[in-house]
Amino acid sequence: MKYKSTRGQVSGLAFSDALLMGLASDNGLLVPETIPDVSTKLEHWRGLGFVELAQEIMPLFIDDIEPTVLKSLVAESYATFDHDEVVGMQQLDNLTVLELFHGPTLAFKDVALQLLGKLFEHVLGERGERLNILGATSGDTGSAAIDGVRGQQNVDIFIMYPSGRVSPLQELQMTTVADDNVHCIELDGSFDDCQNIMKTVFADADYKAKYQLGAVNSVNWARVLAQIVYYGYASLRSDGATRFCVPTGNFGNVFAAYLAQRMGFPIAHLLIATNDNDILARFFATGSYARGEVHQTLSPAMDIQVASNFERFLYYYFDQDSQRLTQFMQDFATNGEASIGAPPEEALLSSVAVDRQQTLQSMRDVHQRFGYILDPHTAVGYFAAQQWLQQAGADAASSYVVVGTAHPAKFPEAVVEATGTEPTHPTLAALSGLPKRSQPLPGDIDAVKTYLVETLAAK
Ligand SMILES: *Cc1c(COP(=O)(O)O)cnc(C)c1O
């Protein structure tokens, strides 16, 4: 399998090159040159466990890592999860929560970033190369990325986070990691400042090459690939075609579901749940993709107004017409708005926005009815699915699989507000009292560049 860019200027890349490139060098996003059709294999795959299914799917997309090696990288990646089947499926009446938060940092990002870490380690080792990862996080990505590469020989990771604006638990998850290849930067600024610094550093091609910088943000193709597996897995565990509801921010998670459907997995509908940051809900209602103001909500990982993976969906929506896509993205960059003229003709996807009261209400209802605690992101999905079923006048047999993106103990304030119960998890409880390691820096690009250079020189 080879990879190409949505913008049309990059093609013929091997998987390993796509892995290391992250964002395509023409500023597009990398996608596979063809989408494999698995429909004839489904019969045989139905009984497989999560890891076995991952071991079947990965080689369809990765042909430049030896099959037996790839198989063990996949197995090692998921050995760190504390659930026998890696992911859980919790039935709550007519809805099922697909629990993706059994990895080391308790959010679904572990499913992709544990694998990404192993893939980097292998590919860099084979090539005798090093990589310095620079990332910006508003919460869950930082700790999941750090856990994916901690202790590795060929990788150093630098994660910037906005001082005082990530939750205390999220900060502890990053800054208590003791491995000396992990460098947390507590930036005096907002998450946008962190992200702008990252973009500016990456735009400096000489600096990027000299210091072997790489990225692990959600546009990395390997992250999408890893996420395809759980959609395939859950769809094969249900009767008939499955409908998923996905709490969405950057569109990476739901895009993996879209690809799983195109590969032939039995998937009937994808409901995109957003919080008050509803750019996607507005697009699916009107066809206009228009940047809005970012609102702070109870589900901070979805407080995003520009969904960085949405370009991949648009590329397929435009029948892989790179010119049309590039024009659309340029219009959006210039005007903060671009339109396809009318609501998209796309029966597979719909989107619903869920507000703060509705989020709290679904957490409260689920706790009262089932004694089960939803995290605020999953609660957005739960509410959206219930509402969708009601509006559709659906019969009692109708159901959705709601993607459970985080463990509730990561967001104790929202859970306490909704349910009066304080959620706990031993992994998080174990963090309190551990020494914090992070470097405070001013929100200034030169300070970050200098810190990186000096830290690497001191190794
Ligand atoms: C990252 C994240 C999301 C959003 O996922 P996208 O792939 O960006 O759409 C939702 N919930 C949680 C808990 C997350 O960490």
Side-chain angles (χ1 to χ4, degrees), residues 49-372:
F50 180 91
V51 171
E52 295 167 307
L53 183 62
Q55 288 167 332
E56 294 286 331
I57 293 175
M58 295 298 164
L60 304 175
F61 291 94
I62 305 176
D63 54 16
D64 57 344
I65 295 177
E66 223 221 299
T68 51
V69 174
L70 182 57
K71 219 173 161 174
S72 33
L73 293 175
V74 170
E76 287 164 29
S77 301
Y78 299 115
T80 55
F81 283 59
D82 71 1
H83 190 287
D84 288 345
E85 264 302 315
V86 181
V87 301
M89 293 181 78
Q90 179 72 40
Q91 191 74 40
L92 303 175
D93 209 354
N94 60 334
L95 301 183
T96 306
V97 177
L98 176 62
E99 298 177 338
L100 302 179
F101 46 73
H102 295 287
T105 73
L106 314 182
F108 86 94
K109 291 182 171 75
D110 287 325
V111 179
L113 286 163
Q114 288 291 306
L115 180 70
L116 205 72
K118 296 286 175 210
L119 290 169
F120 274 139
E121 185 172 39
H122 173 75
V123 169
L124 293 168
E126 289 277 294
R127 297 183 178 196
E129 289 177 11
R130 295 190 39 80
L131 187 71
N132 296 310
I133 294 169
L134 177 66
T137 188
S138 60
D140 295 328
T141 305
S143 56
I146 287 170
D147 205 280
V149 299
R150 60 189 291 183
Q152 289 189 11
Q153 293 289 318
N154 296 334
V155 174
D156 276 83
I157 184 166
F158 296 81
I159 295 287
M160 294 177 271
Y161 65 92
S163 179
R165 301 194 207 185
V166 299
S167 81
L169 270 177
Q170 286 174 325
E171 183 173 17
L172 281 175
Q173 281 189 296
M174 293 188 276
T175 58
T176 56
V177 175
D179 303 81
D180 64 7
N181 69 331
V182 172
H183 317 283
C184 295
I185 300 174
E186 180 176 356
L187 200 95
D188 185 10
S190 67
F191 173 59
D192 277 343
D193 296 331
C194 296
Q195 223 167 7
N196 284 333
I197 288 177
M198 186 174 111
K199 281 187 190 147
T200 318
V201 173
F202 276 101
D204 181 346
D206 292 340
Y207 184 90
K208 182 173 178 239
K210 185 165 177 203
Y211 295 104
Q212 294 146 310
L213 289 192
V216 291
N217 49 12
S218 76
V219 300
N220 192 300
W221 160 251
R223 286 184 61 177
V224 175
L225 170 57
Q227 293 165 1
I228 291 173
V229 176
Y230 47 73
Y231 290 104
Y233 174 83
S235 74
L236 294 179
R237 305 255 142 177
S238 320
D239 297 329
T242 305
R243 298 189 274 184
F244 288 98
C245 179
V246 189
T248 295
N250 266 322
F251 207 84
N253 201 356
V254 69
F255 181 73
Y258 174 80
L259 276 186
Q261 195 275 343
R262 291 198 52 149
M263 289 167 67
F265 283 106
I267 294 173
H269 188 221
L270 300 174
L271 182 58
I272 299 161
T274 76
N275 59 26
D276 285 329
N277 299 289
D278 61 350
I279 183 170
L280 292 167
R282 287 184 281 116
F283 173 81
F284 282 94
T286 66
S288 161
Y289 190 58
R291 198 193 299 265
E293 217 180 294
V294 179
H295 302 279
Q296 270 199 346
T297 73
L298 295 173
S299 44
M302 292 153 60
D303 290 350
I304 288 165
Q305 278 286 11
V306 178
S308 53
N309 271 284
F310 192 53
E311 173 163 345
R312 285 192 166 108
F313 165 72
L314 284 172
Y315 176 69
Y316 289 104
Y317 187 75
F318 292 155
D319 281 329
Q320 310 193 37
D321 180 342
S322 289
Q323 254 181 336
R324 190 170 169 208
L325 187 263
T326 305
Q327 187 61 52
F328 187 98
M329 296 312 296
Q330 274 169 2
D331 288 350
F332 180 71
T334 314
N335 307 322
E337 197 266 340
S339 178
I340 57 169
E345 288 175 36
E346 174 60 82
L348 179 64
L349 293 144
S350 312
S351 181
V352 168
V354 173
D355 70 21
R356 181 187 168 90
Q357 284 317 317
Q358 294 168 330
T359 306
L360 290 169
Q361 185 193 322
S362 55
M363 293 167 83
R364 196 173 302 124
D365 285 354
V366 167
H367 183 239
Q368 276 170 4
R369 286 177 63 200
F370 308 105
Y372 183 83

